[in-house]
Amino acid sequence: MKQLKSILQSSGTHWVGNGFPVRSVFSYDTLGEELDPFLLLDYAAPYLFPPGTEKRGVGAHPHRGFETVTISYQGEIEHRDSSGGGGKIGPGDVQWMTAASGLLHEEFHSAEFTRTGGVFEMAQLWVNLPARDKDAHPRYQTLLRQDIPVVQLPNGAGEIRVISGTFSGAFGPAKTFTPINLWDLKINAGASPSLVLADGHTAALVILSGELAFTSGEKAGVGALAIFTREGEDIQFSATKETRLLVMSGEPLREPIVGNGPFVMNSEQEIRQAFADVRAGKMGSL
């Protein structure tokens, strides 16, 4: 069994653009090696936006060297990028954008959601790319809710949506460069599931609502990050109330992580080159 190493509690909310009030659950600045290949996770807890006319979101900005995975729970997001990718995602949908060699993109609330207003909730995960793939061509994957398999847990414990990787014979639709399990879970109050993950892989979970109790006796609530040992093949916990969470597991890359703002590479020289390429217009335009 993978052992619980630590529970970290995120706190405080900041705005990304004018459309995303998020708490930063973790980032590569402090946990890059421990959570390898995962770099960052921002969670926008439910927030009520009034009806409006002004575009809400983040305008054109660059990325290089990794992937962004945006999970929509409530509200709608529209995306477009300089590689030609783009689309709209709503509740239950996922956007998996591979920045790789570099692009510009923008993310805004959909025009309809802006007009009507409503509750907005989303999570965005950054996934690192191995050095050999950081110069790959950018790509965009829209993973619609109906295409994401749902697996019922034994004994009525809850359900798992398999976004990437595999669980109990179900395969997630996301195409990944290295082995990545990303599961979206709903666990019923009082349930104590056991989830099997690969020995040697990084394993962590983020609580989006509710509360979990672990075999160590520790508890964790909304916005908490639980990190497990890589050794072992399963994680265990109990839900003290109905709980939603994300489980992340992946094969560590074990490569240098050098980041600056929107770029994550393997060396300072590559970071300098990324900034130079943006200034020279080499990541395209919108």
Side-chain angles (χ1 to χ4, degrees), residues 5 32 39 43 45 59 75 100 120 141 157 179 181 203 207 223 227 268 279 281:
K5 289 178 62 179
L39 296 170
Y43 174 50
F120 184 87
Q141 302 175 71
N181 280 323
I207 300 173
I227 305 173
E268 291 289 350
R279 291 192 295 268

Side-chain angles (χ1 to χ4, degrees), residues 1-283:
M1 184 174 74
K2 293 180 182 291
Q3 302 297 314
L4 179 67
K5 289 178 62 179
S6 60
I7 297 174
L8 304 177
Q9 182 64 52
S10 61
S11 62
T13 299
H14 66 278
W15 284 84
V16 177
N18 67 347
F20 307 117
V22 304
R23 62 167 79 195
S24 293
V25 179
F26 67 85
S27 73
Y28 60 84
D29 293 331
T30 54
L31 293 171
E33 291 187 11
E34 189 164 11
L35 291 178
D36 176 21
F38 306 108
L39 296 170
L40 175 149
L41 189 137
D42 282 345
Y43 174 50
Y47 185 93
L48 179 60
F49 283 92
T53 56
E54 180 185 8
K55 292 182 71 174
R56 295 168 175 155
V58 183
H61 58 284
H63 286 303
R64 173 178 282 179
F66 61 97
E67 303 181 285
T68 66
V69 182
T70 304
I71 305 168
S72 174
Y73 292 99
Q74 301 184 76
E76 292 182 335
I77 305 169
E78 290 183 334
H79 159 91
R80 68 186 185 109
D81 63 53
S82 56
S83 74
K88 179 172 70 174
I89 58 172
D93 300 336
V94 177
Q95 165 192 292
W96 198 297
M97 185 194 78
T98 303
S101 60
L103 48 66
L104 300 181
H105 82 139
E106 63 180 25
E107 299 165 289
F108 287 99
H109 296 184
S110 73
E112 177 65 13
F113 182 74
T114 299
R115 185 183 66 80
T116 62
V119 177
F120 184 87
E121 181 186 8
M122 71 105 191
Q124 185 173 88
L125 173 68
W126 290 12
V127 180
N128 204 6
L129 289 172
R132 67 177 182 270
D133 295 315
K134 285 184 180 289
D135 62 352
H137 186 73
R139 72 183 181 194
Y140 177 84
Q141 302 175 71
T142 297
L143 312 176
L144 298 177
R145 178 179 57 186
Q146 61 264 30
D147 297 326
I148 298 173
V150 179
V151 179
Q152 300 300 315
L153 292 171
N155 304 314
E159 64 181 30
I160 291 184
R161 297 198 315 142
V162 185
I163 298 170
S164 70
T166 181
F167 180 83
S168 191
F171 293 85
K175 298 176 181 178
T176 64
F177 287 79
T178 56
I180 299 287
N181 280 323
L182 181 60
W183 302 336
D184 185 26
L185 282 68
K186 182 184 293 183
I187 306 299
N188 294 325
S192 300
S194 178
L195 307 178
V196 177
L197 298 167
D199 182 34
H201 283 203
T202 297
L205 61 82
V206 175
I207 300 173
L208 306 180
S209 68
E211 183 185 68
L212 296 181
F214 299 93
T215 55
S216 63
E218 296 178 84
K219 293 184 178 181
V222 178
L225 170 71
I227 305 173
F228 297 84
T229 59
R230 288 177 178 150
E231 298 76 25
E233 293 188 342
D234 66 302
I235 59 175
Q236 297 180 359
F237 52 81
S238 299
T240 62
K241 58 184 75 171
E242 183 174 285
T243 301
R244 291 189 302 116
L245 62 145
L246 282 175
V247 171
M248 305 165 290
S249 178
E251 182 178 37
L253 302 181
R254 295 187 172 88
E255 296 175 346
I257 300 171
V258 180
N260 189 320
F263 307 127
V264 181
M265 303 300 291
N266 301 110
S267 70
E268 291 289 350
Q269 192 281 327
E270 289 174 317
I271 294 294
R272 290 192 294 271
Q273 186 63 54
F275 278 104
D277 288 347
V278 169
R279 291 192 295 268
K282 295 183 179 180
M283 294 190 192

